[in-house]
Amino acid sequence: MSASQTSDVPTLLVKIFGKDRPGITAGLFDTLAAYSVDVVDIEQVVTRGRMVLCALVTPPPAGLEGDLRATVHSWAESMKMQAEIISGLGDNRPRGLGRSLVTVLGHPLTAESTAAIAARITKAGGNIDRIFRLAKYPVTAVEFAVSGVETEPLRTALVTHAATFGVDIAVVAAGLHRRAQRLVVMDVDSTLIQDEVIELFAAHAGCEAEVAEVTAAAMRGELDFEQSLHARVALLAGLDASVVDKVRSEVRLTPGARTLIRTLKRLGYQVGVVSGGFTQVTDDLKDRLGLDFAQANTLEVVDGKLTGKVTGEIVDRAGKARLLRRFAAEAGVPLAQTVAIGDGANDLDMLNAAGLGVAFNAKPVVREAAHTAVNVPFLDTVLYLLGVTREEVEAADTHDED
């Protein structure tokens, strides 16, 4: 039967609210079962220990509606709950075309920013069908299910104003792909790790300030990456190769990096890194973190010394996007199911090629061009953009400890 055919069918909305406790849902439907009603829809929300349970049901046989109402109110009172029963017609109104999931990260999430987001959704022609909290730590993350507007115009309407709202916002199309197997590929320097690896090498060569200046300009998009790479690596000429072990020990993972990778792997995702840095570090990270893919530049070593040159295929801006496609093909994952995370201008092609590109604490030019931006210092917040809740992360951690 179509929606138009059921729009004039009588229904009862049964609403129960009060202090949450085990057995409420079972008790309500046990009570309703005595009247041979069919369930059309159910929704239950618990906030700070207070439950709101709504059941949309068909009316009971003729002459029994008054008895049903009295029985439900009596049962609710016995459970120290309140009941409200409203007569009406039909089911919920059909959702409009276009289904999206809007994830909002706030640190904190204010009432003002929430109001602004809701108003912007309405202005774009969307309707909020459901709101669900994904996490309360280390940020407050909530997800809005929105219908009535296509994903791209909704993303434009929201993401471009995220900074004004004081939050991070991601907008993705709703559908089965949300939980499908994915490939997540990350930049390394200032994304997976807190450091710029070439600057760690430069510190041992006594040219850290000079290298850092060139690195910053390259990440802002002011210099050609390949030229800047060769210029910086040349300053390392003559450095003893034993410094590699020292640099590896100095690398600091970004807060939440281990949690992100561990959780993604449990979900069956494949995870890789691409870096304008060096395989001498990324290969070690691949082994330590259990990554599926890793590709970077390689420092040339001759007679136990760095030559000041790199060997092999250069991983630059275009190279990162090319490697994303290669990893996706090897993983058997459609490009639309990939997630890329990065912070610098040389990540932009990769971020735009991915199904979801996340600018992580990125330079302004990157934040403006990426699908979404995360501006809190916790890499595992990316999980919330994939619909993973904090409770799921913690439950998996507990399971591993057992």
Side-chain angles (χ1 to χ4, degrees):
M1 189 178 293
S2 68
S4 60
Q5 290 173 306
T6 59
S7 61
D8 58 353
V9 174
T11 51
L12 295 177
L13 175 60
V14 180
K15 178 180 176 182
I16 304 296
F17 48 100
K19 185 178 180 181
D20 185 32
R21 62 176 63 83
I24 298 296
T25 304
L28 173 63
F29 287 98
D30 276 343
T31 303
L32 293 173
Y35 294 90
S36 302
V37 300
D38 295 329
V39 177
V40 179
D41 196 4
I42 309 171
E43 184 117 8
Q44 179 174 308
V45 177
V46 178
T47 304
R48 208 179 66 182
R50 308 295 291 184
M51 166 195 276
V52 177
L53 169 60
C54 293
L56 191 66
V57 300
T58 57
L64 294 180
E65 183 175 326
D67 190 47
L68 180 148
R69 288 173 176 268
T71 302
V72 169
H73 279 285
S74 177
W75 168 82
E77 185 176 345
S78 72
M79 300 298 293
K80 296 182 171 55
M81 305 286 283
Q82 292 179 276
E84 182 179 6
I85 302 175
I86 303 171
S87 299
L89 297 175
D91 196 350
N92 300 313
R93 66 178 183 178
R95 294 175 180 171
L97 296 177
R99 307 282 175 80
S100 301
L101 298 171
V102 178
T103 307
V104 179
L105 308 180
H107 191 57
L109 179 62
T110 66
E112 182 179 10
S113 61
T114 305
I117 293 164
R120 183 66 58 173
I121 290 172
T122 300
K123 186 175 180 180
N127 182 72
I128 299 172
D129 300 319
R130 184 172 182 263
I131 305 174
F132 177 72
R133 187 179 73 182
L134 296 168
K136 61 181 178 180
Y137 170 83
V139 298
T140 300
V142 294
E143 182 177 271
F144 295 75
V146 177
S147 62
V149 59
E150 295 298 330
T151 299
E152 284 305 319
L154 181 62
R155 177 183 290 148
T156 299
L158 291 174
V159 174
T160 54
H161 292 86
T164 305
F165 300 153
V167 297
D168 298 326
I169 300 177
V171 181
V172 298
L176 294 176
H177 70 276
R178 187 71 181 281
R179 289 289 190 172
Q181 184 186 44
R182 288 188 176 187
L183 168 69
V184 178
V185 176
M186 289 175 276
D187 172 46
V188 175
D189 294 9
S190 298
T191 300
L192 178 63
I193 66 174
Q194 301 177 56
D195 313 282
E196 292 287 334
V197 168
I198 196 166
E199 293 177 14
L200 296 179
F201 277 101
H204 292 280
C207 56
E208 183 178 11
E210 188 176 352
V211 165
E213 184 178 345
V214 178
T215 299
M219 293 303 98
R220 292 192 299 266
E222 298 170 3
L223 295 176
D224 174 79
F225 179 81
E226 184 172 351
Q227 291 179 339
S228 73
L229 175 67
H230 289 303
R232 289 174 291 169
V233 171
L235 297 171
L236 306 181
L239 200 59
D240 194 279
S242 63
V243 77
V244 169
D245 288 334
K246 296 177 182 177
V247 168
R248 287 174 175 172
S249 68
E250 292 166 352
V251 166
R252 301 166 299 163
L253 292 174
T254 298
R258 288 186 184 278
T259 299
L260 172 66
I261 294 169
R262 184 172 62 242
T263 305
L264 290 173
K265 297 293 289 181
R266 289 196 195 107
L267 291 171
Y269 290 22
Q270 297 187 61
V271 185
V273 294
V274 291
S275 176
F278 310 111
T279 56
Q280 282 85 350
V281 171
T282 57
D283 287 350
D284 180 61
L285 289 170
K286 181 182 179 183
D287 291 340
R288 286 167 52 195
L289 299 174
L291 301 174
D292 300 285
F293 304 97
Q295 188 70 43
N297 300 301
T298 299
L299 291 169
E300 184 181 61
V301 179
V302 175
D303 297 329
K305 302 286 184 180
L306 302 188
T307 66
K309 299 177 182 179
V310 292
T311 63
E313 178 184 2
I314 296 297
V315 179
D316 56 6
R317 176 170 171 166
K320 287 189 173 186
R322 186 169 59 251
L323 287 164
L324 172 70
R325 294 186 176 92
R326 183 191 302 174
F327 293 167
E330 292 178 14
V333 175
L335 199 60
Q337 292 298 109
T338 62
V339 179
I341 311 167
D343 74 296
N346 65 325
D347 297 315
L348 274 174
D349 288 4
M350 175 178 72
L351 297 181
N352 290 327
L356 176 64
V358 181
F360 180 73
N361 291 308
K363 283 63 177 178
V365 66
V366 183
R367 289 200 303 268
E368 292 167 6
H371 297 143
T372 188
V374 171
N375 295 300
V376 293
F378 313 108
L379 193 56
D380 53 336
T381 55
V382 173
L383 291 168
Y384 309 143
L385 306 184
L386 306 179
V388 180
T389 68
R390 190 71 198 178
E391 287 79 5
E392 289 173 316
V393 174
E394 293 174 353
D397 284 343
T398 301
H399 177 74
D400 268 10
E401 292 171 1
D402 291 345

